[in-house]
């Protein structure tokens, strides 16, 4: 509904307004509008700037949060892939056997071949499918932390302190971060992935399979995480930087043109106050280089580290700040121009034109009840009268079209819902029952029924109908002859829709005493490829209830229902054919390999009995060259036979079926 903003024209024109004083009105309005224009313009400009800045900051925070979360997920997937690789490797018998030997005797004639075999397996895990998965892989003794075998032979016999100190779990596969692991001279950040290993015969885990990544391998990983850096020729543009953080206060970065990451203390960064209470957060602060940045952080649970993404605020707000001089100049110029126009045009045209423009804008926004005041007796007054009349005509036309569009849209949506619900029915009977009920409920019809043609009798038989009346008609086996003097007979004979707008005057309508309130009837054919399958019949208690668009909707539903009906029949036919083929195949399988006539005939009788629902089946075989005929009561003298069923007779001369 629209609100009337002014009173509609009454037909009486007000007297012409007296002209005001000449020469000072423009200047007065100029002085009045100058502060009113300047102050809002400044407010709008400043509000626009700060709002744009807030929007850019919010977008940057959302982007950084998404990037940090994405990088953390990618890092977790990177770790899971290596955990899975070690977990699978820890179950290889080709690795468990030599490790069992090394745990029993680290030195001796059997130790060296076992170590070589184990090292070969570790090298396969280190590089898989042409990709280097670990910097090094090794196997530790869980009790002492001693390295039994490693892809780097120089480490063998050394002690891996994190394992000796119990930092590596013995009961699960895990990835975690270490910094400056001096026992193996691994400086900087080291990512360690360990998996428990139990050799054959051991009661518990007695070794650890450990893969380490550091140096160049982590450098390559961090290089892939620099999503905000772009390579332009030989130069790299760094719009933002991705870091790894390690508790309690280490920041791991990849310096420019370096291939190995570097870890530096950065306790002054606020991110180290976020973990682990806040697994993810975003904030503006100053970086280690003293540059204002926006940072987003994502904590990796269980790893003891996280992902930090930073973007300089100058990058985020750079384009906005570059527009400030242009905005100021534009604002000042617009103020000067506006004041000049106001001073020149106020007295003659500004006020009536503003009203007309406001009128046009309101009409464009759909405020059809708004009218421009008709208070002038000149060309602008005549224009106001014409515009008001045009608005009234447009309002009437718009509301009429809107009502038609809404009704049509509702019909189409309802038809789509009905078609979807109908075509998902599991069986033919369910399909028909659901169809008539949905059409009646959704469209509000008095009675809905579906007739299907019986080709043998050339009659349209009622297969489904709504309500108790429909059940009574189905019980009576209600049917109408194709081509009979009825709407259904006409539709099924001519394969065209038929509408009886007023059944009291329509000569084709068949009056049914069980439906006394019917005043209008419409039927559309159910057909596929020109073959009429039946008809969809709907009845209403209101005359003239069916418009052409209603018939189109019903025909669309009938076409979809026809396809669903045809598919259901084809599916039923296919199932019957498949069942017959299965029975033939089963019988053929039973006959194969049988050499005795009695066995063949007994198998045939058994198959026929199962196929026909377990009746009594008798197979009889005529003796000599006599014609086969119906058996006697006792099967005939000298006959041989077999039976399958509840009886004990065994003649072989004839085949009978006893229900």
């Amino acid at each position: 509904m629209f609100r009337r903003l002014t009173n509609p024209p009454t037909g009486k024109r007000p007297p012409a307004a007296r002209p005001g004083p000449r020469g000072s009105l423009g200047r007065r309005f100029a002085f009045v509008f100058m502060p009113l224009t300047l102050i809002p313009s400044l407010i709008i400009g400043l509000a626009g700037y700060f709002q744009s800045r807030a929007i850019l900051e919010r977008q940057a925070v959302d982007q950084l949060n998404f990037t940090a979360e994405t990088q953390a997920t990618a890092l977790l997937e990177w770790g899971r892939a290596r955990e899975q690789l070690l977990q699978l490797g820890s179950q290889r018998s080709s690795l468990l056997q030599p490790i069992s030997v090394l745990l029993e005797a680290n030195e001796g004639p059997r130790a060296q071949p076992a170590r070589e075999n184990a090292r070969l397996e570790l090298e396969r895990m280190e590089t898989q499918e042409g990709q280097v998965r670990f910097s090094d892989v090794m196997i530790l003794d869980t009790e002492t932390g001693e390295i039994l075998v490693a892809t780097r032979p120089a480490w063998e016999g050394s002690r891996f302190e994190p394992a000796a100190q119990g930092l590596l779990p013995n009961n699960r596969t895990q990835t975690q971060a270490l910094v400056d692991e001096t026992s193996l001279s691994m400086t900087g950040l080291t990512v360690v992935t360990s998996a428990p290993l139990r050799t054959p015969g051991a009661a518990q885990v007695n070794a650890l399979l450990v893969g380490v990544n550091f140096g160049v391998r982590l450098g390559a990983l961090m290089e892939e995480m620099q999503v905000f850096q772009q390579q332009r020729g030989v130069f790299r543009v760094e719009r933002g930087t991705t870091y790894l953080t390690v508790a309690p206060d280490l920041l791991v970065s990849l310096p420019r043109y370096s291939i190995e990451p570097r870890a530096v203390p950065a306790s002054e960064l606020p991110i180290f106050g976020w973990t682990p209470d806040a697994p993810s957060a975003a904030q503006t602060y100053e970086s280690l280089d003293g540059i204002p940045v926006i940072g987003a952080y994502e904590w990796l649970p269980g790893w003891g580290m996280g992902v930090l993404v930073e973007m300089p605020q100058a990058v985020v707000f750079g384009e906005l700040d570059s527009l400030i001089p242009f905005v100021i100049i534009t604002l000042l110029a617009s103020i000067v121009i506006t004041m000049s126009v106001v001073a020149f045009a106020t007295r003659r045209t500004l006020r009536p034109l503003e009203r007309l423009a406001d009128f046009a804008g309101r009409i464009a926004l759909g405020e059809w009840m708004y009218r421009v005041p008709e208070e002038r007796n000149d060309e602008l007054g005549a224009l106001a009268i014409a515009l008001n009349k045009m608005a009234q005509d447009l309002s009437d036309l718009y509301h009429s079209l809107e009502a038609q569009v809404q009704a049509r849209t509702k019909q189409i949506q309802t038809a789509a819902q009905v078609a979807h619900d109908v075509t998902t029915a599991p069986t033919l009977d369910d399909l028909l029952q659901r169809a008539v009920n949905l059409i009646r409920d959704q469209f509000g019809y008095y009675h809905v029924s579906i007739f299907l043609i019986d080709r043998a009798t050339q009659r349209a038989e009622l297969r489904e109908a709504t309500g108790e009346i429909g059940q009574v008609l189905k019980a009576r086996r209600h049917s109408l002859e194709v081509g009979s003097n009825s709407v259904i007979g006409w539709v099924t004979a001519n394969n065209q829709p038929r509408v009886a707008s007023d059944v009291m005057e329509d000569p084709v309508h068949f009056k049914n005493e069980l439906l006394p309130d019917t005043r209008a009837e419409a039927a559309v054919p159910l057909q596929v490829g020109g073959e009429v399958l039946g008809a969809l019949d709907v009845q209403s208690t209101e005359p003239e209830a069916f418009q052409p668009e209603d018939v189109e909707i019903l025909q669309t539903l009938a076409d979809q229902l026809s396809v669903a009906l045809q598919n259901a029949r084809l599916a039923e036919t296919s199932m019957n054919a498949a069942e017959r083929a299965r029975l033939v195949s089963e019988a053929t399988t039973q006959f194969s390999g049988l050499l005795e006539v009695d066995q063949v005939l007994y198998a045939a009788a058994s198959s026929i009995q199962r196929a026909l629902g377990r009746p009594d089946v008798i197979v009889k075989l005529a003796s000599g060259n006599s014609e086969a005929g119906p058996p006697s009561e006792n099967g005939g003298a000298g006959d041989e036979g077999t039976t399958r069923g509840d009886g004990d007779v065994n003649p072989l001369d004839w085949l009978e079926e006893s229900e």
Side-chain angles (χ1 to χ4, degrees), residues 115-371:
R115 185 174 286 108
E116 292 295 333
N117 293 334
R119 187 182 297 117
L120 182 61
E121 290 295 327
L122 297 182
E123 289 173 353
R124 292 174 181 171
M125 283 185 276
E126 182 182 24
T127 303
Q128 210 178 53
E129 297 179 355
Q131 294 184 359
V132 180
R133 304 294 184 177
F134 298 97
S135 299
D136 292 282
V137 185
M138 53 188 171
I139 295 179
L140 312 176
D141 187 339
T142 55
E143 294 183 0
T144 63
E146 180 183 359
I147 301 176
L148 300 176
V149 60
T151 54
R152 188 176 299 194
W155 288 0
E156 295 174 359
S158 302
R159 185 179 178 185
F160 190 55
E161 290 298 331
Q165 297 171 6
L167 300 179
L168 302 183
N170 296 338
N171 56 351
R172 66 183 183 278
T173 303
Q174 179 175 301
T175 301
Q176 59 189 23
L178 301 175
V179 179
D180 292 333
E181 178 49 45
T182 57
S183 61
L184 298 179
S185 300
M186 292 185 290
T187 59
L189 176 65
T190 302
V191 177
V192 178
T193 304
S194 61
L197 186 148
R198 187 174 65 181
T199 59
Q204 58 185 1
V205 173
N206 53 0
L208 284 177
L209 179 58
V210 179
V212 295
N213 281 288
F214 60 95
V216 177
R217 295 303 312 147
L218 287 184
L221 175 63
M222 293 192 65
E223 181 71 23
E224 295 176 359
M225 298 173 66
Q226 306 304 318
V227 293
F228 291 116
Q229 297 184 6
Q230 300 177 356
Q231 197 74 26
R232 295 183 179 177
V234 296
F235 301 97
R236 185 172 67 183
V237 179
E238 298 182 355
R239 295 177 57 86
T241 307
T242 303
Y243 301 95
L244 296 177
T245 62
V246 183
D249 61 352
L250 289 179
L251 183 70
V252 181
S253 63
L254 183 66
R256 178 179 294 187
Y257 309 121
S258 176
I259 60 175
E260 294 187 7
R262 181 183 64 184
V264 295
S267 58
E268 62 273 18
L269 292 181
I271 59 162
F272 292 103
W274 299 341
T275 58
D277 297 330
S280 62
Q283 187 175 334
T284 58
Y285 56 91
E286 287 190 359
S287 66
L288 292 180
D289 299 329
I291 300 174
V293 298
I294 301 177
Y297 181 83
E298 190 76 21
W299 178 255
L300 300 177
W303 284 42
M305 61 183 296
V307 177
L308 172 66
V309 180
E310 286 183 355
M311 181 175 289
Q313 296 184 26
V315 174
V316 177
F317 307 119
E319 295 181 359
L320 178 63
D321 293 339
S322 65
L323 294 176
I324 293 178
F326 174 77
V327 172
I328 293 176
I329 295 174
T330 304
L331 184 62
L332 294 176
S334 64
I335 293 173
V336 173
I337 294 174
T338 302
M339 293 300 101
S340 301
V341 172
V342 169
F344 177 78
T346 297
R347 188 174 61 86
R348 290 185 177 272
T349 59
L350 185 59
R351 213 164 11 167
L353 290 178
E354 285 179 348
R355 289 178 178 177
L356 293 177
D358 183 57
F359 167 80
R362 291 175 182 267
I363 294 299
L365 293 174
E367 297 182 13
W368 302 108
M369 303 305 296
Y370 182 80
R371 299 292 181 267

Side-chain angles (χ1 to χ4, degrees), residues 594-605 619 621 640-643 650-652:
L594 299 179
L595 301 179
E596 298 294 331
V597 175
D598 291 349
Q599 295 176 350
V600 171
L601 296 179
Y602 186 80
V619 179
L621 184 65
E640 295 179 351
T642 185
T643 184
N650 294 316
L652 296 175

Side-chain angles (χ1 to χ4, degrees), residues 52-108:
S52 301
R53 188 179 179 91
I55 292 174
L56 289 176
E57 182 176 350
R58 186 162 55 249
Q59 291 177 347
V61 168
D62 292 341
Q63 183 181 9
L64 291 174
N65 278 330
F66 175 78
T67 302
E69 182 180 356
T70 302
Q71 295 298 334
T73 302
L75 197 56
L76 289 174
E77 292 296 329
W78 179 87
R80 289 192 189 100
R82 281 147 182 79
E83 291 175 359
Q84 185 178 14
L85 179 61
L86 291 186
Q87 192 171 10
L88 293 175
S90 65
Q91 300 173 6
R92 295 180 184 174
S93 59
S94 57
L95 181 63
L96 295 175
Q97 293 295 338
I99 296 306
S100 177
V101 173
L102 292 176
L103 287 172
E104 294 176 1
N106 199 5
E107 299 292 337

Side-chain angles (χ1 to χ4, degrees), residues 615-643:
D616 291 340
V617 177
I618 302 174
V619 179
K620 296 181 180 180
L621 184 65
S623 61
N625 295 325
S626 63
E627 293 182 358
S632 61
E633 288 272 330
N634 56 8
D639 289 348
E640 295 179 351
T642 185
T643 184

Side-chain angles (χ1 to χ4, degrees), residues 451 460-462 473-480 510 512:
F451 290 81
E461 298 180 350
L462 178 68
L473 291 173
K474 288 173 59 179
R476 292 183 179 181
R477 298 184 179 273
H478 178 62
S479 65
L480 296 169
F510 173 81
N512 192 326

Side-chain angles (χ1 to χ4, degrees), residues 401-424:
L401 292 176
E402 186 178 39
Q404 294 179 16
V405 170
Q406 289 178 352
R408 186 66 169 170
T409 301
K410 182 179 179 181
Q411 287 181 337
I412 294 174
Q413 291 175 346
T414 303
Q417 179 184 355
V418 171
H420 174 269
D421 293 341
V422 166
T423 54
T424 55

